[in-house]
Structure formats: C-alpha cells, structure tokens
Amino acid sequence: WSWRDFRTLVFEPDAELPKATRIAFTLSPQRIHSAQGFVLREPFVTAVQTPGLSLLSATQIGFDGDDRAILELRFSDNVLPADVMKAITLAAPDQKTIKCALYGEPDGAIIRVVTDSIQALQKNQRDFALTLKLPPGLAGTSGPLGLSGAIEQSVPITTALVATELLADPISRGDASLRLRFNNDIDV
C-alpha cells in the first residue's frame, strides 16, 4: 500500500490480479484517521470485480472440403475445449442447428471448430452468415466468473477471399510486427 496523494491510497500487487474474480475489501475504522483526527464511523466494505470471460472474435478461417466451414473463436482467457463444445450453438441462415466439432489443436484462448455440412454451401451460396450462440456462465480457466450474458453473434461465411483481421504484436526490442489474417489459405 502507498499514498498517491493525501486522499488516495493505492494497492499495487506483486502479481496480476486474478482474472474473472470478485475481490472483497474491508477497511477497519481503527486503521485510518484524517489529518484533523476524524475517524471512519464504521468499516468501509466494498468489492471490485476483474473482468470475466469475453468472446473477442469469431471468424471463418477456411473450409474443410466444399461444404464445411472452419471457425476460429478467440476468448479473453484460456478456455477448456470441452466446456466450449458443450456451450456452443451454431445456426444456419434458415435457423436450423448446425453441429460442429473441434478442429485442430486448441490453443488456450483460441478454439477452432469445423461445422457439419452446410446446405447453403452445397447450393453454392457464396455469402451468408451463421449465428453463433454462447450461454452466460461459460468460464475461462483463470477465474470463476464467466460470460456475464448470452452471446448471439453473426459469423460471415464467404467463399470469396477476405482479410479478417490485423493483429499488432507488441514491440519487443525492435521486433514489432503486424499480422494480416485471411478467411482461406493463400497461394503463396
């Protein structure tokens, strides 16, 4: 604990605060008094909450065959693939549920899924969207607090080549980089 000024007491932990966690705080009246000698009448009791899990992005990253889309979900914390697979719901443009399975190796906060056959792709429909749903409560591995609300998000699917995101890697001794990602493999 340190005093930033005469009215602000600051706690700076040695390590990061735990993610997705409610932290209770109580200040006893006997522990502090003003310059004029005034004391707290009662304990100051409050809580703060570090952010819970959030879905950062959901994008198409390719195809498996001609009629199965590969989607990548990026979360704000590492997630257990089994938990995501229990929670995820995908719907086609006609609102019919589309099953999906894990695709490749999970990478902590990144989960990739491959859909079952999508009728719109079988009919050569080039551009449409799937609806992704995740219920509240899905939690990351760093803390008990999960998604605060249900997520319902449109995930564009296209057979056209599309740049999907630009990521900046932190500057580290002159090794900064930008990574441009696409929805399909590029012929390099």
Side-chain angles (χ1 to χ4, degrees), residues 86-114:
K86 280 189 233 174
I88 192 172
T89 303
L90 293 172
D94 62 4
Q95 299 307 309
K96 290 183 181 174
T97 299
I98 296 178
K99 292 182 181 178
C100 64
L102 280 175
Y103 182 82
E105 291 297 317
D107 186 16
I110 299 172
I111 300 291
R112 293 176 191 90
V113 298
V114 60

Side-chain angles (χ1 to χ4, degrees), residues 138-157:
L138 174 65
T141 60
S142 297
L145 302 175
L147 294 173
S148 60
I151 291 176
E152 184 168 328
Q153 180 175 327
S154 178
V155 182
I157 305 295

